[in-house]
Amino acid sequence: MNDPIPSTDIELRHLRYFVAVAEELHFGRAALRLHLAQPPLSQQIRKLEAILGYPLFDRTSRSVALTAAGTAFLERAQRTLRNVQRDIDEARSIGRGELGSLHVGFVGSAMLTTLPAIFRAYRETFPLVRLHLHESFTSKVIEGLQNGTLDAGLLRDGDTTAGLTATPIYAEPFVAVLPASHPRAHQKSISPAALRHDPFIHYPRSAGNRAFEKPLALCEEHGFRPQIAQEASHWLTILRLIGAGLGVSIAPACVRRIASPEVACIPLATGKANPKSLSTIELATLEGESRPIVTHFARIVYRVAEMRDT
């Protein structure tokens, strides 16, 4: 044959045409299968052979057979077409939000609420999505959303942040957490005012300004600002320190689930219903977020939260 044409001239249709003829070993049947007239099919096969520089078929008036080069090329052509179709299907799945990677940041205390049910429902609905979970403070989750390392975040009492949309999905009351040996540990409810002289154990302001201030604001409504004697980053640590008698705290009610017998979690008697007496879990995403993989996650979050409230 003549010198080969540059291989960049090969198109997917050339591979489809070749595979049809190779599998049928008959140009007429292959043309019918491809819904194509036979002369253009023969012309495209000759072009493919010119590109490769070798004949792919031995043709006689009575038969068509693959050459050695044709036999080798058939396997590769079939593999290429399979891979292209797989890539097309994968791109479509990604476009529908059914495939890909989803990075979700969350505060650890949310795992004591509805968050496990959310993750379970998402995994069951989108088993092919690679779900990457990142536990952190509210402030760090917000930072991750802003710098693009996170796609969605579950915050607790998050600060209003430009460029982010935060939707409440779960609210719970605060409770007072006291050592079991505290004189008021057996009360059915307690006013924040009763903690006026107790040292507080609290998480750091770096966790999030609103999350830090909200429990303390309940005390300020009763005329005092608590003395924070010790900071700790995780509720389990805070509860253990309280159980050891180092102080008291005001915590979301969910911490009851990990409280040991050494502590007492007592409902707060705030005297009036107001938003400050509730701690709120929020779903946060970028404003205008429209990627299907994120919007699907958000819909599942709202659905699970709604089911819990009914």
Side-chain angles (χ1 to χ4, degrees), residues 101-307:
S101 295
L102 181 69
H103 290 262
V104 178
F106 66 96
V107 292
S109 61
M111 291 299 291
L112 302 174
T113 62
T114 191
L115 196 52
I118 289 170
F119 290 152
R120 179 171 58 250
Y122 185 78
R123 170 58 63 222
E124 291 172 352
T125 308
F126 298 100
L128 299 181
V129 173
R130 295 186 296 275
L131 185 60
H132 302 275
L133 304 178
H134 307 267
E135 180 180 359
S136 191
F137 294 137
T138 286
S139 60
K140 292 297 183 181
V141 174
I142 291 174
E143 183 180 313
L145 291 168
Q146 290 176 316
N147 64 29
T149 58
L150 296 177
D151 301 304
L154 283 305
L155 318 176
R156 182 179 288 279
D157 299 320
D159 297 316
T160 301
T161 305
L164 298 185
T165 298
T167 305
I169 62 166
Y170 179 89
E172 60 183 325
F174 286 103
V175 296
V177 186
L178 314 177
S181 58
H182 194 282
R184 299 180 180 272
H186 300 290
Q187 294 182 192
K188 291 185 178 180
S189 64
I190 189 170
S191 168
L195 307 177
R196 179 185 304 269
H197 301 296
D198 287 293
F200 265 60
I201 301 174
H202 204 44
Y203 38 87
R205 185 182 293 275
S206 59
N209 187 66
R210 185 164 176 254
F212 177 87
E213 287 289 345
K214 204 171 187 182
L216 305 183
L218 296 174
C219 298
E220 290 180 334
E221 289 181 353
H222 289 78
F224 75 102
R225 174 86 174 179
Q227 172 200 351
I228 298 176
Q230 181 67 49
E231 290 185 347
S233 300
H234 301 283
W235 276 113
L236 182 59
T237 303
I238 292 174
L239 293 176
R240 294 301 190 197
L241 293 175
I242 292 172
L246 273 67
V248 303
S249 193
I250 293 178
C254 65
V255 302
R256 290 169 169 161
R257 296 189 175 187
I258 57 171
S260 68
E262 288 77 27
V263 302
C265 298
I266 305 174
L268 282 178
T270 57
K272 58 181 178 179
N274 68 71
K276 293 181 182 178
S277 65
L278 296 175
S279 180
T280 304
I281 300 292
E282 302 144 331
L283 171 66
T285 60
L286 292 176
E287 281 185 357
E289 177 64 77
S290 60
R291 288 174 295 164
I293 199 168
V294 180
T295 57
H296 288 335
F297 178 72
R299 280 198 290 270
I300 286 178
V301 170
Y302 301 142
R303 187 185 75 202
V304 173
E306 183 179 354
M307 290 172 57

Side-chain angles (χ1 to χ4, degrees), residues 57-79:
F57 297 100
D58 286 326
R59 304 168 178 82
T60 70
S61 60
R62 304 180 62 180
S63 68
V64 176
L66 285 165
T67 63
T71 299
F73 191 62
L74 175 60
E75 179 194 351
R76 289 155 178 80
Q78 290 171 327
R79 183 177 62 209

